[in-house]
Amino acid sequence: MSSIISVANLSKTYGSGFKALKNVNLDIKRGEIFALLGPNGAGKTTLISIICGIANPSEGRVLVGGEDIQTSYRKARSLIGLVPQELHTDAFESVWATVSFSRGLFGKPKNPAHIEKVLKDLSLWDKKDSKIITLSGGMKRRVMIAKALSHEPQILFLDEPTAGVDVELRKGMWEVVRTLQQSGVTIILTTHYIEEAEEMADRIGVINKGEIVLVEDKATLMQKLGKKRLTLHLQNKISALPESLGHYELDLCDSGATLVYDYDTKGERTGITSLLSDLRTAGIRFNDLDTTQSSLEDIFVDLVRTS
């Protein structure tokens, strides 16, 4: 799959000397949903701002659809729709007028049919004549997406699109995002809701302290870095583990009522079989067992902690 965004050796240093980005290299594939994760101050918004032409890089190059974001600014920017964290528009303007105005800013001819489709897709059609100031927070976020889609971009940046939005509306917005992807739009998502990335993304990128920590297919990332946990609920409490079980690195929990064994996902079934056999030999019996796998949030926290 070809890249629609290519970032090469990108750095950003502010006048204060603070380095917000440090030699970032990143390729985003055409038609994918890419989740960019990172703690506050990691460089997410700076990276997006440079790609969208809002901020200038100190070093490096960004190509959007093959167009250089600096030397071919208008062509590159016309391919991008940006949904920022805050709505910046006339609060007393109508939904229809503000979305139509956004289309005009890109030099696009009037297209009432397209604006109507966008508003209907985002469940805003019945609000088309409403003033922005009268809308709920969730509806205002939908207006932001409508504005970003007004000029028919190939790429959509969603910067914390569901922050402060209730669960029902968040799921509705996920459905909109999936529909956009099916129509061929490439979507780059930044979020603090890890379950959002886990639910939506094809690939995950993690940025911390201005540097890309990793970029990986979501499924591959979960398999490579995820952990599984085996929990054994014992028939009788034990005060300490026998020496014969020492090499398993078991944790004795719940005042001796539970044994916990963490292992990676690369295939340690033999180790579990041996563990269960050695437990029987040691006279330790259990009533029940269950396994869980680490979430993307667990993986993210570990990556940020060690980077």
Side-chain angles (χ1 to χ4, degrees), residues 65-116:
E67 303 290 344
D68 191 294
I69 196 65
Q70 290 186 288
T71 60
S72 300
Y73 171 79
R74 289 187 179 277
K75 289 182 179 179
R77 184 65 181 86
S78 68
L79 300 174
I80 297 172
L82 170 63
V83 180
Q85 295 183 30
E86 301 294 337
L87 177 63
H88 301 287
T89 190
D90 186 346
F92 296 96
E93 188 66 272
S94 72
V95 171
W96 177 273
T98 195
V99 175
S100 299
F101 179 74
S102 290
R103 180 178 176 84
L105 288 176
F106 288 87
K108 293 275 188 175
K110 291 183 178 180
N111 189 340
H114 174 68
I115 300 300
E116 178 179 338

Side-chain angles (χ1 to χ4, degrees), residues 1-242:
M1 189 181 298
S2 61
S3 297
I4 194 168
I5 297 175
S6 182
V7 178
N9 305 315
L10 186 68
S11 295
K12 174 65 176 179
T13 304
Y14 289 100
S16 63
F18 175 70
K19 293 185 177 181
L21 296 176
K22 306 170 188 175
N23 196 38
V24 170
N25 291 277
L26 178 65
D27 286 293
I28 296 175
K29 301 173 184 177
R30 187 180 300 273
E32 74 173 336
I33 298 178
F34 184 88
L36 183 64
L37 306 180
N40 289 330
K44 300 188 299 297
T45 299
T46 300
L47 178 57
I48 289 175
S49 296
I50 291 175
I51 295 174
C52 292
I54 299 171
N56 293 320
S58 301
E59 299 176 21
R61 190 184 190 195
V62 178
L63 298 179
V64 176
E67 303 290 344
D68 191 294
I69 196 65
Q70 290 186 288
T71 60
S72 300
Y73 171 79
R74 289 187 179 277
K75 289 182 179 179
R77 184 65 181 86
S78 68
L79 300 174
I80 297 172
L82 170 63
V83 180
Q85 295 183 30
E86 301 294 337
L87 177 63
H88 301 287
T89 190
D90 186 346
F92 296 96
E93 188 66 272
S94 72
V95 171
W96 177 273
T98 195
V99 175
S100 299
F101 179 74
S102 290
R103 180 178 176 84
L105 288 176
F106 288 87
K108 293 275 188 175
K110 291 183 178 180
N111 189 340
H114 174 68
I115 300 300
E116 178 179 338
K117 181 181 183 302
V118 169
L119 295 182
K120 285 181 176 178
D121 288 345
L122 291 166
S123 300
L124 286 168
W125 183 243
D126 64 333
K127 303 289 186 182
K128 65 182 184 298
D129 297 320
S130 300
K131 304 299 183 184
I132 300 295
I133 196 171
T134 66
L135 299 180
S136 67
M139 285 296 177
K140 287 178 181 177
R141 288 198 176 274
R142 291 190 182 211
V143 172
M144 287 193 286
I145 296 178
K147 284 165 57 66
L149 295 174
S150 63
H151 64 287
E152 303 167 70
Q154 297 180 26
I155 303 162
L156 182 64
F157 280 92
L158 299 171
D159 193 6
E160 303 286 350
T162 58
V165 173
D166 63 56
V167 173
E168 183 177 356
L169 188 53
R170 189 182 305 166
K171 290 182 178 179
M173 293 179 72
W174 290 354
E175 292 176 3
V176 170
V177 168
R178 288 193 185 93
T179 301
L180 289 171
Q181 184 190 28
Q182 291 169 4
S183 70
V185 177
T186 303
I187 296 164
I188 297 91
L189 168 74
T190 72
T191 180
H192 284 293
Y193 296 109
I194 304 298
E195 72 273 14
E196 199 161 65
E198 197 164 0
E199 170 77 17
M200 298 297 303
D202 299 308
R203 289 197 303 153
I204 305 288
V206 177
I207 186 171
N208 192 33
K209 300 176 182 176
E211 299 179 286
I212 297 292
V213 177
L214 67 77
V215 175
E216 193 71 82
D217 288 339
K218 180 179 64 181
T220 304
L221 177 62
M222 297 291 288
Q223 184 176 17
K224 284 172 58 176
L225 299 179
K227 297 285 185 180
K228 283 192 175 181
R229 169 166 291 185
L230 174 68
T231 303
L232 299 161
H233 304 281
L234 306 182
Q235 289 183 3
N236 299 297
K237 292 183 178 182
I238 59 176
S239 58
L241 289 170

Side-chain angles (χ1 to χ4, degrees), residues 243-264:
E243 291 184 6
S244 60
L245 300 175
H247 62 287
Y248 287 108
E249 298 184 2
L250 297 165
D251 289 322
L252 189 58
C253 305
D254 299 330
S255 302
T258 304
L259 281 178
V260 175
Y261 178 45
D262 290 322
Y263 61 102
D264 64 34

